[in-house]
Amino acid sequence: MFGLGTTELIIILVLVMVIFGAGKLPDIGNALGKGIRNFKKSVEHDDEIDITPKEGEDADGDKKKE
């Protein structure tokens, strides 16, 4: 994992606890989890918009007169 061993990960965790405090860690984890979840959701779904007119409509979106 990016060339990081367990010792480096423990040092990073201790530094994060010193900087942010133990009380803020759940909030940081929650925000990080939501960000990852939203990123995965945006990658999985297509962002294309279907612009084909529905049946009974013309290209402008107006109903056809018969």
Side-chain angles (χ1 to χ4, degrees), residues 30-45:
N30 189 14
L32 185 62
K34 283 183 182 178
I36 292 172
R37 195 175 316 122
N38 287 334
F39 177 76
K40 285 182 180 179
K41 191 183 301 182
S42 68
V43 169
E44 290 174 358
H45 296 294

Side-chain angles (χ1 to χ4, degrees), residues 1-9 12:
M1 186 173 128
F2 305 113
L4 295 175
T6 54
T7 307
E8 289 89 358
L9 291 175
I12 291 170

Side-chain angles (χ1 to χ4, degrees), residues 5 10 22 44 48 64:
I10 291 172
E44 290 174 358
E48 296 179 14
K64 290 184 179 177

Side-chain angles (χ1 to χ4, degrees), residues 53-58 62-66:
K54 295 179 184 174
E55 189 173 323
E57 293 181 352
D58 62 6
D62 299 329
K63 295 190 184 233
K64 290 184 179 177
K65 297 178 185 174
E66 295 182 23

